[in-house]
Amino acid sequence: MAENGTSNAADGGGPGSVRLDAWIWAVRLAKTRSQAADACKGGHVRVNGEKVKPAQPVKVGDQVRVRRSDGWERIVTVTRLISKRVGPPVAAQCYVDQSPPPPPREFAGPVAIRDRGAGRPTKRERREVDRLHGR
């Protein structure tokens, strides 16, 4: 491994390649390396449209798709190879994000507020609250 965290031929990955799970973790697309490996094993990661294993070498120019637990898919193109975790500003320089904007968060709507000491809601008030919540 080179001093700056980039891969070289002595690592066994060949010149200009890094393990996919290590790269996903290093650029902060996954919180832990084991989560990155589990995502690869579970088929949630694709490189150039193909499902891959965690040890798959990734190269500059590859398109990596990572499906997150909330259903949103991150689509990134590799611009720089790193294998050590770095800060967010440096990590953002290692890929070009081509993801569509995240889906909007669901609006919770108005919250039913009762005056303090008003006691237990009546059946009529409870039905109004249920209607507000869409139940």
Side-chain angles (χ1 to χ4, degrees):
M1 170 106 35
E3 192 68 29
N4 60 3
T6 59
S7 178
N8 58 27
D11 294 332
S17 67
V18 176
R19 277 181 62 113
L20 178 63
D21 60 343
W23 187 83
I24 290 173
W25 167 75
V27 297
R28 298 175 170 265
L29 294 177
K31 286 187 178 183
T32 66
R33 184 159 172 190
S34 61
Q35 281 182 348
D38 290 343
C40 294
K41 290 175 191 170
H44 302 293
V45 178
R46 293 177 179 263
V47 175
N48 299 326
E50 300 288 325
K51 290 183 182 178
V52 291
K53 294 182 178 179
Q56 171 80 25
V58 65
K59 299 173 228 24
V60 173
D62 284 348
Q63 183 186 56
V64 179
R65 292 173 168 257
V66 180
R67 191 170 65 228
R68 296 177 28 172
S69 60
D70 57 2
W72 187 42
E73 187 174 50
R74 295 285 306 266
I75 304 168
V76 298
T77 302
V78 179
T79 57
R80 192 168 127 204
L81 298 176
I82 58 171
S83 57
K84 291 187 178 178
R85 194 162 172 97
V86 293
V90 178
Q93 297 172 357
C94 297
Y95 60 84
V96 176
D97 196 353
Q98 300 170 336
S99 307
R105 293 184 180 197
E106 293 181 21
F107 181 65
V111 178
I113 299 174
R114 286 188 58 79
D115 294 330
R116 187 171 179 86
R120 186 173 172 178
T122 65
K123 191 169 191 175
R124 181 179 185 182
E125 291 170 337
R126 185 181 50 79
R127 286 183 177 151
E128 289 173 0
V129 170
D130 285 347
R131 213 173 311 122
L132 275 175
H133 287 271
R135 294 184 219 159

